[in-house]
Every structure is written in structure tokens, then in C-alpha cells.
Amino acid sequence: MRLQSKLSLLIIPACVLPLLALGIVAYSQLQQVAVTNRLADVRTVLGPLSERLSSELRTTATNARLFAASPFVSRYLLAQDADIKYSMMEPSLLEFLDTYRRGFTNYESIELRKLDGTVDTRASDTMSELPTDRVAAELARSFADSPAATRSRIVRAEARAPRLIVGVPIDLKDARVSLAAGAKRQGVLLIVVDLSFVAPILNKISIGPGGGVTVVDRNGDPWFADRGILSQRLDDQLRERLTHGGGMGIEAELADGRRYLNSLPLLDDSLLVASVPHAQVA
């Protein structure tokens, strides 16, 4: 009897422990498959949304180049007499710009700036906010010694939606000076876009309880902090991980708990980010 008891104590653990270990490994693998499948579903949602937003924003850059090439703009900038420029040419230029601005309802303003950043003329129904004006001036100055064809900046301010500023340089050849002379940079055309239209699009995307989609800028700050999705600023390390590995999904410990994050690039310096609570895929 004693021998049987001793054998039982040896045989039972020898049989049970491998089965238990196998079960733990199988559970872990199934959990990993569930996470992979869930993140794949999220990426399927992000893809069309990223393309839709990127397409709308690319349209703004295309419009900026078309406006900059308009004869209204060239005649205005090449005018030598200030009285003729501002009394005769500016009204028709502003009418031209305002017609397009009203057609694209998200355009807050279309403006011409000098290479020193100061406003030359501006089509808008509202006064420029100081943060927007400051970034617009910096963007215009950046074209003074840059060959870039298009540049953009995101402006975030408290208690209002962010603004996208798209700028293109205006290079003109003045035949009155010299027929042999090349084109000279005469200024910069900027379009300021009110990005409040993005929030309702993001709100329509459902990826489960406690999850959602938002956009963060180059500093890791969310475009819409009041939506409660990634309302905190992402640190540089997490921002770097999202930029280079977010497409496959990463796990992160945030202030509101552990989450899986998936991202796609948006514009040159922003990320479209989906946030899924760990409990939803665990």
C-alpha cells in the first residue's frame, strides 16, 4: 500500500503537470491570435478612414497650387504702383479667392503673405487667431530660402478645433524687367483649414466599448483632447514606437490603463491612431 501511494504521488503529477503546461501554452497562443485578429480588424477600419482624410487634405494642397497660378494673383503681385494694386487689383483678387473659399466650407481663410511673413491680403469672414497667425507667418518665412513646393503645419489651440495651414510658394517671371530673367519668388499663398469636420468622422467609427480613433500631431498631442480618446500627450518614446511600428499594433500602459494602439500616417507629421482597451482583446 505504501508503495502504491508513493507511485501515485509520482505518476499523477508527472501526467498532470505536462497537461497543465500544454494548456497554458495553448491559452497563450489563442490569446495572441485573438489580439492579432482584433488589431487586423482595427487596421481594416483605419485604412479607408486614413485615405479619406488624406484625400481631402491633398485636395487643399492642389487647390493652393491652382490659386497661386491664377492670373489674378500674378497681376496683383507684379503691380508696381501701390494705388493701382490695392484699389483696382485687390478687390478682384479677393472676390476670386472668396468665391473658392465659400465653395470649400472648411476653408477659414485664403491669404497671400510676403516672404517676411507679413500678410499682403486675406480672404476671410473672421479675424485671424494669434496662434494661427504666428504659425502662418513662420510657414511663409520658411519658403524664403527653401525649394519646397508645398508645406503644411497643424495649429492647436485651447477650446477650439485645430487648424491645418497649407502653403505654396509663388514664383513669377516679370517680363517687364527682363525677358531673359528667370522666375523670382514673389510671395506665398496659404490656405487655413478648420479641421472641426474631422471630429464627427472619427465619432462615427466604432471599435468596441472604451475604444476609439483619434489623431495626434508631431508632438504626440491629440487634435481633439475633449473626445476622451488618448486625451493625454503621448511621450516621445511611445510616439516613436507608433510612427515606426504602429501599423502592426503595439501594447502601451497609459493613464487610463493598458491599451493596444494601431496607427497610420496622416499628412507629413500626424498619426491616425486607434485605441483598444486591453480587456477588449484579452
Side-chain angles (χ1 to χ4, degrees):
M1 236 2 229
R2 291 179 182 176
L3 182 59
Q4 289 180 338
S5 299
K6 290 179 179 180
L7 289 174
S8 298
L9 292 175
L10 292 173
I11 293 172
I12 292 176
C15 295
V16 172
L17 290 178
L19 292 174
L20 182 60
L22 184 61
I24 293 174
V25 170
Y27 175 77
S28 177
Q29 291 178 339
L30 287 173
Q31 187 178 42
Q32 186 59 44
V33 169
V35 170
T36 301
N37 291 339
R38 188 70 183 94
L39 293 178
D41 292 341
V42 171
R43 186 172 178 79
T44 301
V45 171
L46 284 183
L49 178 58
S50 175
E51 181 55 34
R52 177 180 176 184
L53 294 178
S54 296
S55 176
E56 292 199 33
L57 301 177
R58 283 195 302 268
T59 299
T60 300
T62 300
N63 285 341
R65 288 190 290 270
L66 290 174
F67 301 159
S70 164
F72 288 100
V73 172
S74 60
R75 286 197 296 265
Y76 175 81
L77 291 177
L78 293 176
Q80 301 292 325
D81 188 289
D83 289 337
I84 294 177
K85 177 178 180 178
Y86 292 111
S87 64
M88 297 181 63
M89 295 187 176
E90 185 177 37
S92 58
L93 171 62
L94 290 178
E95 182 180 359
F96 163 73
L97 295 178
D98 211 44
T99 298
Y100 281 98
R101 186 186 64 82
R102 294 182 185 282
F104 293 88
T105 56
N106 299 316
Y107 290 1
E108 185 174 274
S109 68
I110 305 175
E111 52 192 57
L112 296 183
R113 289 191 179 243
K114 300 176 182 178
L115 294 176
D116 63 2
T118 57
V119 176
D120 193 335
T121 191
R122 181 173 183 269
S124 179
D125 290 331
T126 61
M127 295 291 292
S128 178
E129 297 282 344
L130 183 58
T132 304
D133 183 72
R134 183 170 58 249
V135 174
E138 292 174 356
L139 184 59
R141 287 193 294 269
S142 73
F143 281 103
D145 54 1
S146 170
T150 307
R151 284 186 167 180
S152 63
R153 293 286 188 277
I154 297 293
V155 185
R156 295 180 62 257
E158 297 295 332
R160 71 172 196 153
R163 265 54 176 174
L164 167 70
I165 306 178
V166 176
V168 297
I170 305 172
D171 298 329
L172 299 173
K173 183 176 180 178
D174 191 352
R176 295 170 302 179
V177 177
S178 171
L179 291 175
K184 181 180 178 182
R185 188 148 297 179
Q186 303 288 346
V188 179
L189 185 140
L190 301 177
I191 299 179
V192 180
V193 184
D194 181 352
L195 292 176
S196 58
F197 75 94
V198 176
I201 296 175
L202 299 179
N203 290 337
K204 293 178 181 178
I205 306 300
S206 175
I207 54 176
V213 179
T214 191
V215 182
V216 297
D217 64 17
R218 68 172 73 187
N219 298 317
D221 292 311
W223 282 14
F224 308 99
D226 58 343
R227 295 182 65 243
I229 300 169
L230 292 184
S231 55
Q232 69 183 85
R233 180 178 183 177
L234 304 181
D235 60 43
D236 293 341
Q237 183 179 7
L238 183 54
R239 177 74 166 77
E240 189 73 12
R241 289 174 61 199
L242 277 174
T243 300
H244 295 98
M248 300 302 295
I250 63 173
E251 188 174 359
E253 190 69 40
L254 303 179
D256 55 353
R258 195 151 45 124
R259 289 178 170 268
Y260 287 100
L261 305 178
N262 207 319
S263 67
L264 286 176
L266 185 66
L267 296 177
D268 295 330
D269 58 0
S270 297
L271 287 173
L272 183 65
V273 182
S275 173
V276 182
H278 181 267
Q280 193 183 125
V281 294

